[in-house]
Amino acid sequence: MRYQDPVLLAEGAATTDLGGMLVSPVFHGDPDAVAEALLADPGIAAADEIVLFLPPAFGLEENVRLLTDMTETVGPALGRTPAE
């Protein structure tokens, strides 16, 4: 199993304030579905950075796949381009 469903763990969940840092819902699923969910989130539109969490239970292969999907599919869908 590559990713779990549904795409959004806590749809419509309120953000949590952690000392000035806002934490939004967790998105997961296939890269295109994650990109679509992120684009639909008004909080993402106001953000100037996105934090990608690498699950500690994942091994190297899964984390490399997660990072690759983020840089090759999700990031470009959000208008981000890789640094050269």
Side-chain angles (χ1 to χ4, degrees):
M1 172 172 72
R2 184 168 178 175
Y3 298 104
Q4 296 177 1
D5 285 324
V7 171
L8 183 58
L9 278 181
E11 187 170 286
T15 58
T16 303
D17 186 347
L18 299 173
M21 180 176 72
L22 294 179
V23 179
S24 67
V26 174
F27 298 92
H28 64 95
D30 69 77
D32 292 321
V34 169
E36 183 179 325
L38 288 169
L39 287 169
D41 185 324
I44 298 299
D48 57 3
E49 62 182 25
I50 296 173
V51 175
L52 174 65
F53 174 74
L54 299 176
F58 279 20
L60 178 62
E61 184 177 325
E62 292 89 355
N63 282 326
V64 167
R65 185 176 346 173
L66 222 166
L67 291 168
T68 300
D69 288 343
M70 187 66 176
T71 58
E72 292 179 357
T73 304
V74 178
L78 299 175
R80 308 291 199 264
T81 55
E84 299 212 11

